[in-house]
Amino acid sequence: MHRYAQTVIAIFGTDLLLTPAVIALLLLRSPAKSNYAVALFSTAGTVLVVVWYLLIVGHILRSALDTGLVTGFAIAVTWWFAAHALSLAFFGAPS
């Protein structure tokens, strides 16, 4: 229980640092409809940022739970899918 605050702060800090990159990639979505190169850059960048985020959160959870990186990564992926499902349930699919 003593690592709870450190873990939460580390994960929120990761969110804070990666949010500008995600916002920039989301802003490229509308020009991507007419330009294939921008669409490819936007998609590849989004995949890169998501994988990077999952690896960072997996590392944080690995340290917090004293487990292996695979277990931390699996928890991070499960957490991301759960958050995505809740987001879709509350706000609906993006248009």
Side-chain angles (χ1 to χ4, degrees):
M1 187 67 173
H2 65 281
R3 294 182 186 174
Y4 179 75
Q6 295 170 348
T7 304
V8 169
I9 290 170
I11 291 175
F12 284 151
T14 301
D15 287 342
L16 183 68
L17 289 174
L18 291 180
T19 297
V22 171
I23 290 173
L25 290 168
L26 288 175
L27 288 174
L28 286 175
R29 291 278 174 151
S30 64
K33 292 179 182 176
S34 63
N35 190 341
Y36 178 74
V38 175
L40 183 63
F41 176 76
S42 175
T43 302
T46 302
V47 169
L48 181 68
V49 169
V50 167
V51 169
W52 188 23
Y53 171 77
L54 291 174
L55 285 171
I56 293 170
V57 172
H59 179 71
I60 292 168
L61 293 173
R62 177 194 64 87
S63 297
L65 300 174
D66 287 329
T67 63
L69 183 59
V70 174
T71 305
F73 185 73
I75 294 170
V77 169
T78 304
W79 180 351
W80 186 78
F81 275 117
H84 186 69
L86 286 174
S87 173
L88 288 177
F90 286 128
F91 304 114
S95 57

